[in-house]
Amino acid sequence: MNPPLNRRGFLASAVGVAAGLTLAGCGDYRPATTRDANAKAQLPTYIPYKGVPTSMPATADGVAPGYLHYPADPVNAFPDGPPAKGDAIDIMTLIFNPVPPPVDRNVMWQALNKSVGCDLNFQITPVGDYPNKFAVTIAGGDLPDAMLMLPADQNAAATPDMLDALFEDLSEHLAGDNIRDYPYLANIPTASWAPCVRNGGIYALPMPRPLSGGPPTYTRLDLINKRGLDPNPKNWREFAQLCKDVTDPKNNQYALGDSVTAWNFLMQMLKAPNKWREEGGKFTWMYETEEAKQALDAVRGLTKAGGLHPDTYSVLGKAKEWFGTGRTVMNPDGPVAWNDYYTTYASAAKGFEVGYMMAPGWNGGTGGQWQGSANYATLIIKKAPKARIKQILRAMNALASPFGTDGYLLRKYGVRGPDHTLKGSDPVLTTQGQAEVYLPTIFATDAPGALYYPAKPEIVPDQYAFQKEAVQRLIPNSAEPLYSPTDAKMSKLLQTALDDTRKSIMQGRVPLSEWDDAMKNWRKEAGDRIRAEYEQAWETRTS
């Protein structure tokens, strides 16, 4: 075992992290071994919330519940009054959307503080700046009460040693039946807690996401049906033919608009690994498989045939817009996109209809479905007296109040009147509400996902049907709950180079044989070490 890392020693090492320097040579600092970092811990007992009946219930294998309408009489989430009375709680987190109005001009935020029982001081950073903000904050030592922590492969400063030195092991509060004191946190499925374990303890709270992932490919059913085509190809050849049949350059319409997500879809046709596959304790990375080369060659063929939007390789961030406006007919995307497409684009296109395509098997039958990450990120809580930790956990429990409660309604739709009106029992956001509910409570913790879209409730059964089918095909990422120090330090740098090679091959600018050289370099530079660390971590967790 390594000697425990004291706060002073860690902060000295963290300066090196923030500056992009190696941790070697920092006095008595010695990083935790892979075995120590991945030591297992007792996970919280899963106690699903059953307060709102539905004909589309959640299932143990990962299907989210579906609801056509919000209950007319929401459940009181906190019948005993505000649960976390006490001092303010500072929460450092990120945001993808515009920053919401500050608390003195945000009635939703004010009402949230009142319902929780203390001021929640969200310190909000745009997502692209967050890893650097995290590292600098850790190095400076002036920590907020709670911080969003991205997965280690997106944030090299998020080390097991950092957690041990600066942040609370929450096991005594949350492990096993201890979590019963926080029933809404107990409602978060077990899969979302597994990545919260480091150093033999529970060091974080989940930000749960659907295990079913997003539909591999959304389809513009209205455009496919207009041409009298089958939107559900049975194999690779039928999929390639569909891409050809929907492509109409004269009318600026193409099959696909993003080469990487197209490659992901073809990999699922081939039942290829979802990042890392474990078999008998041995790990294989998806890029080093024969399936990866086969999918690269297939996307290369689709590109040559003109099935990808002509700006696919030169313009970033337009795939969603191209799909929504009908310039592409298929687009792999995340689960929240289903509702977003209707919200953003349906009013401008008569008969607008979104469907989904499950990956067929390459030669027929069924393909796989890459399991979604169990969390977007996790929330870590700095070391503090037990009473303070309990107050923070009660506040986070409030932020996880589930669908059907007044707490969920407040977080997602704000205050009735200024933030939303009611259409029947369903909330409809006002212009003010659309700005105020961007307060990033979901990037502290959240309730498990619920399928609900009051603007078009008839799509919810389709979303539920997708999830029920998807969970039968799930291919997990075996490395998700594990920690590899080499992967954390080097994967982002190596991924950039690999993405350049991958896109060059798919675009037809370099031969497919370049991929073999890229894999040799990856194994030499880091891949074999990453593999060995994950295999050791797997043995530690499963022994």
Coordinates of all heavy atoms in Angstrom, one line a residue, residues 283-366:
F283 N -8.8 -7.7 -22.0 CA -9.4 -6.5 -22.6 C -9.0 -6.3 -24.0 O -7.8 -6.4 -24.4 CB -9.1 -5.3 -21.7 CG -10.0 -5.2 -20.5 CD1 -10.1 -6.1 -19.5 CD2 -10.8 -4.0 -20.4 CE1 -11.0 -6.0 -18.5 CE2 -11.7 -3.9 -19.3 CZ -11.8 -4.9 -18.3
T284 N -10.0 -5.9 -24.8 CA -9.8 -5.5 -26.2 C -10.4 -4.1 -26.5 O -11.6 -3.9 -26.1 CB -10.4 -6.5 -27.2 OG1 -9.8 -7.8 -26.9 CG2 -10.1 -6.2 -28.6
W285 N -9.7 -3.2 -27.1 CA -10.2 -1.9 -27.4 C -10.9 -2.0 -28.8 O -10.4 -2.7 -29.7 CB -9.0 -0.9 -27.5 CG -9.5 0.5 -27.4 CD1 -10.5 1.1 -26.7 CD2 -8.9 1.6 -28.1 NE1 -10.6 2.4 -26.9 CE2 -9.6 2.8 -27.8 CE3 -7.8 1.7 -29.0 CZ2 -9.2 4.0 -28.3 CZ3 -7.4 3.0 -29.5 CH2 -8.1 4.1 -29.1
M286 N -12.0 -1.2 -28.9 CA -12.8 -1.3 -30.1 C -12.0 -1.0 -31.4 O -12.2 -1.5 -32.5 CB -14.0 -0.4 -30.0 CG -13.7 1.1 -29.9 SD -15.3 2.0 -29.8 CE -14.7 3.7 -29.8
Y287 N -11.0 0.0 -31.3 CA -10.3 0.4 -32.5 C -9.3 -0.7 -33.0 O -9.0 -0.6 -34.2 CB -9.5 1.7 -32.2 CG -10.2 3.0 -32.1 CD1 -11.6 3.0 -32.1 CD2 -9.6 4.2 -32.1 CE1 -12.3 4.2 -32.1 CE2 -10.3 5.4 -32.1 CZ -11.6 5.4 -32.1 OH -12.3 6.6 -32.0
E288 N -8.9 -1.6 -32.2 CA -7.9 -2.5 -32.6 C -8.5 -3.8 -33.2 O -7.8 -4.8 -33.5 CB -7.0 -2.9 -31.5 CG -7.6 -3.5 -30.3 CD -6.7 -3.8 -29.1 OE1 -5.5 -4.0 -29.4 OE2 -7.1 -3.7 -28.0
T289 N -9.8 -3.8 -33.4 CA -10.5 -5.0 -33.9 C -10.6 -5.0 -35.4 O -10.5 -3.9 -36.1 CB -12.0 -5.1 -33.4 OG1 -12.7 -3.9 -33.8 CG2 -11.9 -5.1 -31.8
E290 N -10.8 -6.1 -36.0 CA -11.1 -6.2 -37.4 C -12.4 -5.5 -37.8 O -12.5 -5.0 -38.9 CB -11.1 -7.7 -37.9 CG -9.8 -8.3 -38.0 CD -8.8 -7.6 -38.9 OE1 -9.3 -7.3 -40.1 OE2 -7.7 -7.3 -38.6
E291 N -13.4 -5.5 -36.9 CA -14.6 -4.8 -37.1 C -14.4 -3.3 -37.3 O -15.1 -2.7 -38.2 CB -15.6 -5.0 -35.9 CG -16.1 -6.4 -35.8 CD -15.3 -7.2 -34.8 OE1 -14.0 -7.0 -34.7 OE2 -15.8 -8.1 -34.1
A292 N -13.4 -2.7 -36.6 CA -13.1 -1.3 -36.8 C -12.7 -1.0 -38.3 O -13.1 0.0 -38.9 CB -12.1 -0.9 -35.8
K293 N -11.8 -1.9 -38.8 CA -11.4 -1.7 -40.2 C -12.5 -1.9 -41.2 O -12.6 -1.2 -42.2 CB -10.2 -2.6 -40.5 CG -8.9 -2.3 -39.7 CD -7.9 -3.3 -39.9 CE -7.4 -3.4 -41.4 NZ -6.3 -4.3 -41.6
Q294 N -13.3 -2.9 -40.9 CA -14.5 -3.1 -41.8 C -15.4 -2.0 -41.8 O -15.9 -1.6 -42.9 CB -15.2 -4.4 -41.3 CG -16.3 -4.9 -42.3 CD -16.8 -6.3 -41.8 OE1 -16.3 -7.0 -41.0 NE2 -18.0 -6.6 -42.4
A295 N -15.7 -1.4 -40.6 CA -16.6 -0.2 -40.6 C -16.0 1.0 -41.2 O -16.6 1.8 -41.9 CB -16.9 0.1 -39.1
L296 N -14.6 1.2 -41.1 CA -14.0 2.3 -41.7 C -14.1 2.2 -43.3 O -14.4 3.2 -44.0 CB -12.5 2.3 -41.4 CG -12.1 2.8 -40.0 CD1 -10.6 2.6 -39.7 CD2 -12.4 4.3 -39.9
D297 N -13.9 1.0 -43.8 CA -14.0 0.8 -45.2 C -15.4 1.0 -45.7 O -15.6 1.5 -46.8 CB -13.5 -0.7 -45.5 CG -13.3 -0.9 -47.0 OD1 -12.7 0.0 -47.6 OD2 -13.7 -1.9 -47.5
A298 N -16.4 0.6 -44.9 CA -17.8 0.8 -45.3 C -18.2 2.3 -45.3 O -18.8 2.7 -46.3 CB -18.7 0.0 -44.3
V299 N -17.8 3.1 -44.3 CA -18.1 4.5 -44.4 C -17.3 5.1 -45.6 O -17.8 6.1 -46.2 CB -17.7 5.2 -43.1 CG1 -18.0 6.7 -43.1 CG2 -18.5 4.6 -41.9
R300 N -16.1 4.7 -45.8 CA -15.4 5.2 -47.0 C -16.2 4.9 -48.3 O -16.3 5.8 -49.1 CB -14.0 4.4 -47.0 CG -13.1 4.8 -48.1 CD -11.9 3.8 -48.1 NE -10.9 4.1 -49.1 CZ -9.7 4.7 -48.9 NH1 -9.4 5.1 -47.7 NH2 -8.9 4.9 -49.8
G301 N -16.8 3.8 -48.4 CA -17.6 3.5 -49.5 C -18.9 4.4 -49.6 O -19.2 4.8 -50.7
L302 N -19.5 4.6 -48.4 CA -20.7 5.5 -48.4 C -20.3 6.9 -48.8 O -21.0 7.6 -49.6 CB -21.3 5.5 -47.0 CG -22.0 4.2 -46.5 CD1 -22.4 4.4 -45.1 CD2 -23.2 3.9 -47.4
T303 N -19.1 7.4 -48.4 CA -18.6 8.7 -48.8 C -18.4 8.8 -50.3 O -18.8 9.7 -50.9 CB -17.3 9.0 -48.0 OG1 -17.5 8.9 -46.6 CG2 -16.8 10.4 -48.4
K304 N -17.7 7.8 -50.8 CA -17.4 7.8 -52.2 C -18.7 7.7 -53.1 O -18.8 8.4 -54.2 CB -16.6 6.5 -52.6 CG -16.1 6.5 -54.0 CD -15.2 5.3 -54.3 CE -14.7 5.2 -55.7 NZ -13.8 4.0 -55.9
A305 N -19.7 7.1 -52.6 CA -21.0 7.0 -53.3 C -21.8 8.3 -53.2 O -22.9 8.4 -53.8 CB -21.8 5.8 -52.8
G306 N -21.4 9.2 -52.4 CA -22.1 10.5 -52.2 C -23.2 10.5 -51.2 O -24.0 11.4 -51.1
G307 N -23.2 9.5 -50.3 CA -24.3 9.4 -49.3 C -24.1 10.3 -48.1 O -25.1 10.5 -47.4
L308 N -22.9 10.9 -47.9 CA -22.7 11.8 -46.8 C -22.7 13.2 -47.3 O -22.3 13.5 -48.4 CB -21.3 11.6 -46.2 CG -21.3 10.5 -45.0 CD1 -21.6 9.1 -45.6 CD2 -20.0 10.5 -44.3
H309 N -23.3 14.1 -46.5 CA -23.4 15.5 -46.9 C -22.0 16.0 -47.3 O -21.0 15.7 -46.7 CB -23.8 16.3 -45.6 CG -24.2 17.7 -45.9 ND1 -23.3 18.7 -46.2 CD2 -25.4 18.3 -46.0 CE1 -23.9 19.9 -46.4 NE2 -25.2 19.7 -46.3
P310 N -21.9 16.8 -48.4 CA -20.6 17.2 -48.9 C -19.7 18.0 -47.9 O -18.5 18.1 -48.1 CB -20.9 18.1 -50.1 CG -22.4 18.4 -50.0 CD -23.0 17.3 -49.2
D311 N -20.3 18.6 -46.9 CA -19.6 19.4 -45.9 C -19.3 18.5 -44.6 O -18.8 19.1 -43.6 CB -20.3 20.6 -45.5 CG -20.5 21.6 -46.6 OD1 -19.6 21.6 -47.5 OD2 -21.4 22.4 -46.6
T312 N -19.5 17.2 -44.7 CA -19.4 16.4 -43.5 C -18.0 16.5 -42.9 O -17.8 16.6 -41.7 CB -19.7 14.9 -43.9 OG1 -21.0 14.8 -44.2 CG2 -19.3 14.0 -42.7
Y313 N -16.9 16.5 -43.7 CA -15.6 16.4 -43.2 C -14.9 17.8 -43.0 O -13.9 17.9 -42.5 CB -14.7 15.6 -44.2 CG -15.1 14.2 -44.3 CD1 -16.0 13.7 -45.3 CD2 -14.6 13.2 -43.3 CE1 -16.3 12.4 -45.3 CE2 -15.0 11.9 -43.4 CZ -15.8 11.5 -44.4 OH -16.2 10.1 -44.4
S314 N -15.6 18.9 -43.4 CA -15.0 20.2 -43.3 C -15.8 21.1 -42.3 O -15.2 22.1 -41.9 CB -15.0 20.9 -44.7 OG -16.3 21.0 -45.2
V315 N -17.0 20.8 -42.0 CA -17.8 21.6 -41.1 C -18.2 20.8 -39.9 O -18.8 19.7 -40.0 CB -19.1 22.1 -41.8 CG1 -20.0 23.0 -40.9 CG2 -18.7 23.0 -43.1
L316 N -18.0 21.4 -38.7 CA -18.3 20.7 -37.5 C -19.6 21.2 -36.9 O -19.9 22.4 -37.0 CB -17.2 20.8 -36.5 CG -15.8 20.2 -36.9 CD1 -14.8 20.5 -35.8 CD2 -15.9 18.7 -37.1
G317 N -20.3 20.3 -36.2 CA -21.4 20.8 -35.4 C -22.7 21.1 -36.1 O -23.6 21.7 -35.6
K318 N -22.8 20.6 -37.3 CA -24.0 20.9 -38.1 C -24.9 19.7 -38.3 O -26.0 19.8 -39.0 CB -23.6 21.4 -39.5 CG -23.0 22.9 -39.5 CD -24.1 23.9 -39.2 CE -23.6 25.3 -39.3 NZ -24.7 26.3 -39.1
A319 N -24.5 18.5 -37.9 CA -25.3 17.3 -38.2 C -26.7 17.3 -37.7 O -27.6 16.9 -38.4 CB -24.6 16.1 -37.6
K320 N -26.9 17.9 -36.5 CA -28.3 18.0 -35.9 C -29.1 18.9 -36.8 O -30.3 18.6 -37.1 CB -28.2 18.5 -34.5 CG -29.5 18.4 -33.8 CD -29.4 19.0 -32.4 CE -28.5 18.2 -31.5 NZ -29.2 17.0 -31.0
E321 N -28.6 20.1 -37.2 CA -29.3 21.0 -38.0 C -29.6 20.5 -39.3 O -30.8 20.6 -39.9 CB -28.5 22.3 -38.1 CG -29.2 23.4 -39.0 CD -28.3 24.6 -39.3 OE1 -27.5 24.9 -38.4 OE2 -28.3 25.1 -40.4
W322 N -28.7 19.8 -40.0 CA -28.9 19.2 -41.3 C -30.1 18.2 -41.2 O -30.9 18.1 -42.1 CB -27.7 18.5 -41.8 CG -26.6 19.5 -42.2 CD1 -26.7 20.8 -42.5 CD2 -25.2 19.2 -42.3 NE1 -25.5 21.3 -42.7 CE2 -24.5 20.4 -42.6 CE3 -24.4 18.0 -42.1 CZ2 -23.1 20.4 -42.8 CZ3 -23.0 18.1 -42.2 CH2 -22.4 19.3 -42.6
F323 N -30.1 17.4 -40.2 CA -31.2 16.4 -40.0 C -32.5 17.1 -39.8 O -33.5 16.8 -40.4 CB -30.8 15.4 -38.9 CG -31.9 14.4 -38.6 CD1 -32.0 13.3 -39.4 CD2 -32.8 14.6 -37.5 CE1 -33.0 12.3 -39.1 CE2 -33.8 13.6 -37.3 CZ -33.9 12.5 -38.1
G324 N -32.5 18.1 -38.9 CA -33.8 18.7 -38.5 C -34.4 19.5 -39.7 O -35.6 19.6 -39.8
T325 N -33.5 20.0 -40.6 CA -34.0 20.7 -41.7 C -34.2 19.9 -43.0 O -34.5 20.4 -44.1 CB -33.1 21.9 -42.0 OG1 -31.7 21.4 -42.2 CG2 -33.1 22.9 -40.9
G326 N -33.9 18.6 -42.9 CA -34.1 17.7 -44.0 C -33.0 17.6 -45.0 O -33.2 17.0 -46.0
R327 N -31.9 18.1 -44.7 CA -30.7 18.0 -45.6 C -30.0 16.7 -45.4 O -29.3 16.2 -46.3 CB -29.8 19.2 -45.4 CG -30.2 20.4 -46.1 CD -29.4 21.6 -45.8 NE -29.8 22.2 -44.5 CZ -29.2 23.3 -44.0 NH1 -28.1 23.8 -44.6 NH2 -29.6 23.8 -42.8
T328 N -30.3 16.0 -44.3 CA -29.9 14.6 -44.1 C -31.1 13.9 -43.6 O -32.0 14.4 -43.0 CB -28.7 14.4 -43.2 OG1 -29.0 14.9 -41.9 CG2 -27.5 15.1 -43.7
V329 N -31.1 12.6 -43.9 CA -32.3 11.8 -43.6 C -32.1 10.8 -42.4 O -33.1 10.4 -41.8 CB -32.7 10.9 -44.8 CG1 -33.9 10.0 -44.6 CG2 -33.0 11.9 -46.0
M330 N -30.9 10.6 -42.0 CA -30.6 9.8 -40.8 C -29.5 10.4 -40.0 O -28.6 11.0 -40.6 CB -30.1 8.4 -41.3 CG -31.2 7.6 -42.0 SD -30.6 6.0 -42.7 CE -29.8 6.5 -44.3
N331 N -29.6 10.3 -38.7 CA -28.6 10.9 -37.8 C -28.5 10.2 -36.5 O -29.5 10.4 -35.7 CB -28.9 12.4 -37.6 CG -27.8 13.1 -36.9 OD1 -26.6 13.0 -37.2 ND2 -28.1 13.9 -35.9
P332 N -27.4 9.5 -36.2 CA -27.3 9.0 -34.8 C -27.1 10.1 -33.8 O -26.4 11.1 -34.1 CB -26.0 8.2 -34.9 CG -25.8 7.9 -36.4 CD -26.4 9.1 -37.1
D333 N -27.8 10.0 -32.7 CA -27.7 11.1 -31.7 C -28.1 10.6 -30.3 O -28.4 9.4 -30.2 CB -28.7 12.2 -32.1 CG -28.3 13.6 -31.6 OD1 -27.6 13.7 -30.6 OD2 -28.7 14.6 -32.3
G334 N -28.1 11.5 -29.3 CA -28.3 11.1 -28.0 C -29.8 11.0 -27.6 O -30.7 11.4 -28.4
P335 N -30.2 10.5 -26.5 CA -31.6 10.2 -26.1 C -32.4 11.5 -26.0 O -33.6 11.5 -26.4 CB -31.5 9.5 -24.8 CG -30.2 9.7 -24.3 CD -29.3 9.9 -25.4
V336 N -31.9 12.6 -25.5 CA -32.7 13.8 -25.4 C -33.0 14.5 -26.7 O -33.9 15.3 -26.8 CB -32.0 14.9 -24.5 CG1 -31.7 14.3 -23.1 CG2 -30.6 15.3 -25.1
A337 N -32.3 14.1 -27.8 CA -32.5 14.7 -29.1 C -33.8 14.4 -29.6 O -34.4 15.2 -30.4 CB -31.4 14.2 -30.1
W338 N -34.4 13.3 -29.3 CA -35.7 12.9 -29.8 C -36.8 14.0 -29.6 O -37.4 14.5 -30.5 CB -36.2 11.6 -29.1 CG -37.2 10.8 -29.9 CD1 -38.2 11.3 -30.7 CD2 -37.3 9.4 -29.9 NE1 -39.0 10.3 -31.2 CE2 -38.5 9.1 -30.7 CE3 -36.6 8.4 -29.4 CZ2 -38.9 7.8 -31.0 CZ3 -37.0 7.1 -29.6 CH2 -38.1 6.8 -30.4
N339 N -36.9 14.5 -28.3 CA -37.8 15.6 -28.0 C -37.3 16.9 -28.7 O -38.1 17.7 -29.2 CB -37.9 15.8 -26.5 CG -38.6 14.6 -25.9 OD1 -39.1 13.7 -26.5 ND2 -38.7 14.6 -24.5
D340 N -36.0 17.1 -28.6 CA -35.4 18.4 -29.1 C -35.7 18.6 -30.6 O -36.0 19.7 -31.0 CB -33.9 18.4 -28.9 CG -33.6 18.6 -27.4 OD1 -34.5 18.9 -26.6 OD2 -32.4 18.4 -27.1
Y341 N -35.7 17.5 -31.4 CA -36.0 17.6 -32.8 C -37.4 18.2 -33.0 O -37.6 19.1 -33.9 CB -35.8 16.3 -33.5 CG -34.4 15.9 -33.8 CD1 -33.9 14.7 -33.4 CD2 -33.5 16.8 -34.3 CE1 -32.6 14.3 -33.7 CE2 -32.1 16.5 -34.6 CZ -31.7 15.2 -34.2 OH -30.4 14.9 -34.4
Y342 N -38.3 17.7 -32.3 CA -39.7 18.2 -32.5 C -39.8 19.6 -32.0 O -40.5 20.4 -32.6 CB -40.7 17.3 -31.7 CG -41.1 16.0 -32.4 CD1 -40.5 14.8 -32.1 CD2 -42.0 16.0 -33.5 CE1 -40.8 13.6 -32.8 CE2 -42.3 14.9 -34.2 CZ -41.7 13.7 -33.8 OH -42.0 12.5 -34.5
T343 N -39.2 19.9 -30.9 CA -39.3 21.3 -30.3 C -38.7 22.3 -31.3 O -39.2 23.4 -31.5 CB -38.5 21.3 -29.0 OG1 -39.1 20.4 -28.1 CG2 -38.6 22.7 -28.4
T344 N -37.6 22.0 -31.9 CA -36.8 22.9 -32.7 C -37.2 23.0 -34.1 O -37.3 24.1 -34.7 CB -35.3 22.6 -32.6 OG1 -34.9 22.5 -31.2 CG2 -34.5 23.7 -33.3
Y345 N -37.6 21.8 -34.7 CA -37.8 21.8 -36.2 C -39.2 21.5 -36.7 O -39.5 21.7 -37.9 CB -36.8 20.8 -36.8 CG -35.3 21.1 -36.5 CD1 -34.6 20.4 -35.5 CD2 -34.7 22.2 -37.2 CE1 -33.3 20.7 -35.3 CE2 -33.4 22.5 -36.9 CZ -32.7 21.8 -35.9 OH -31.4 22.1 -35.7
A346 N -40.0 20.9 -35.9 CA -41.3 20.4 -36.4 C -42.2 21.4 -37.0 O -42.9 21.2 -38.0 CB -42.0 19.6 -35.3
S347 N -42.1 22.6 -36.4 CA -43.1 23.7 -36.8 C -42.8 24.2 -38.2 O -43.6 24.7 -38.9 CB -43.0 24.9 -35.8 OG -41.7 25.4 -35.8
A348 N -41.5 23.9 -38.7 CA -41.1 24.5 -40.0 C -41.3 23.4 -41.1 O -41.0 23.8 -42.3 CB -39.7 24.9 -39.9
A349 N -41.7 22.2 -40.8 CA -41.8 21.2 -41.8 C -43.1 20.5 -41.7 O -43.4 19.8 -40.7 CB -40.6 20.2 -41.7
K350 N -43.9 20.6 -42.7 CA -45.2 19.9 -42.7 C -45.0 18.4 -42.6 O -44.3 17.8 -43.4 CB -46.0 20.3 -43.9 CG -47.4 19.7 -44.0 CD -48.2 20.2 -45.2 CE -49.6 19.6 -45.2 NZ -50.4 20.1 -46.4
G351 N -45.7 17.7 -41.7 CA -45.6 16.3 -41.6 C -44.4 15.8 -41.0 O -44.1 14.6 -41.0
F352 N -43.6 16.6 -40.3 CA -42.3 16.3 -39.7 C -42.6 15.1 -38.8 O -43.4 15.1 -37.9 CB -41.8 17.4 -38.9 CG -40.5 17.2 -38.3 CD1 -39.3 17.7 -38.9 CD2 -40.4 16.7 -37.0 CE1 -38.1 17.5 -38.3 CE2 -39.1 16.5 -36.4 CZ -38.0 16.9 -37.1
E353 N -41.8 14.0 -39.0 CA -41.9 12.8 -38.2 C -40.5 12.1 -38.0 O -39.8 11.9 -39.0 CB -42.9 11.8 -38.8 CG -43.1 10.6 -37.9 CD -44.1 9.6 -38.5 OE1 -44.6 9.9 -39.7 OE2 -44.5 8.6 -37.9
V354 N -40.2 11.9 -36.7 CA -38.9 11.3 -36.4 C -39.1 9.8 -36.0 O -40.0 9.5 -35.2 CB -38.2 12.0 -35.2 CG1 -37.0 11.3 -34.8 CG2 -37.8 13.4 -35.7
G355 N -38.4 8.9 -36.6 CA -38.4 7.5 -36.1 C -37.0 7.1 -35.7 O -36.1 7.9 -35.6
Y356 N -36.8 5.8 -35.5 CA -35.5 5.3 -35.1 C -35.2 4.0 -35.8 O -36.1 3.3 -36.1 CB -35.4 5.1 -33.6 CG -36.3 4.0 -33.0 CD1 -35.8 2.7 -32.9 CD2 -37.5 4.3 -32.5 CE1 -36.6 1.7 -32.3 CE2 -38.3 3.3 -32.0 CZ -37.8 2.0 -31.9 OH -38.6 1.0 -31.4
M357 N -34.0 3.8 -36.0 CA -33.5 2.6 -36.7 C -32.6 1.8 -35.7 O -31.5 2.3 -35.3 CB -32.7 2.9 -38.0 CG -32.3 1.7 -38.8 SD -31.1 2.2 -40.1 CE -32.2 3.3 -41.1
M358 N -33.0 0.6 -35.4 CA -32.0 -0.3 -34.6 C -31.0 -0.9 -35.6 O -31.3 -1.1 -36.8 CB -32.8 -1.4 -33.9 CG -33.8 -0.9 -32.9 SD -33.1 -0.1 -31.5 CE -32.2 -1.4 -30.7
A359 N -29.8 -1.1 -35.1 CA -28.8 -1.6 -36.0 C -29.1 -3.1 -36.4 O -29.3 -3.9 -35.5 CB -27.4 -1.6 -35.3
P360 N -29.3 -3.4 -37.7 CA -29.4 -4.8 -38.1 C -28.1 -5.5 -38.0 O -27.0 -4.8 -38.0 CB -29.9 -4.6 -39.5 CG -29.3 -3.4 -40.0 CD -29.2 -2.4 -38.8
G361 N -28.1 -6.8 -38.0 CA -26.9 -7.5 -38.1 C -26.3 -7.3 -39.5 O -27.0 -7.1 -40.4
W362 N -24.9 -7.3 -39.5 CA -24.3 -7.0 -40.8 C -24.8 -7.9 -41.9 O -25.1 -7.4 -43.0 CB -22.8 -7.2 -40.6 CG -22.0 -6.7 -41.8 CD1 -21.5 -7.4 -42.9 CD2 -21.5 -5.4 -42.0 NE1 -20.8 -6.6 -43.7 CE2 -20.8 -5.3 -43.2 CE3 -21.6 -4.2 -41.3 CZ2 -20.2 -4.2 -43.7 CZ3 -21.0 -3.0 -41.7 CH2 -20.3 -3.0 -43.0
N363 N -24.9 -9.2 -41.6 CA -25.4 -10.1 -42.7 C -26.9 -10.6 -42.4 O -27.3 -11.6 -42.9 CB -24.5 -11.3 -42.7 CG -23.1 -10.9 -43.2 OD1 -23.0 -10.2 -44.3 ND2 -22.1 -11.4 -42.6
G364 N -27.6 -9.8 -41.5 CA -28.9 -10.2 -41.2 C -29.1 -10.5 -39.7 O -28.1 -10.5 -38.9
G365 N -30.3 -10.6 -39.2 CA -30.5 -10.8 -37.8 C -30.4 -9.5 -37.1 O -30.7 -8.4 -37.7
T366 N -30.1 -9.5 -35.8 CA -30.0 -8.2 -35.0 C -28.6 -7.8 -34.8 O -27.7 -8.7 -34.5 CB -30.8 -8.4 -33.7 OG1 -30.2 -9.5 -32.9 CG2 -32.2 -8.7 -33.9

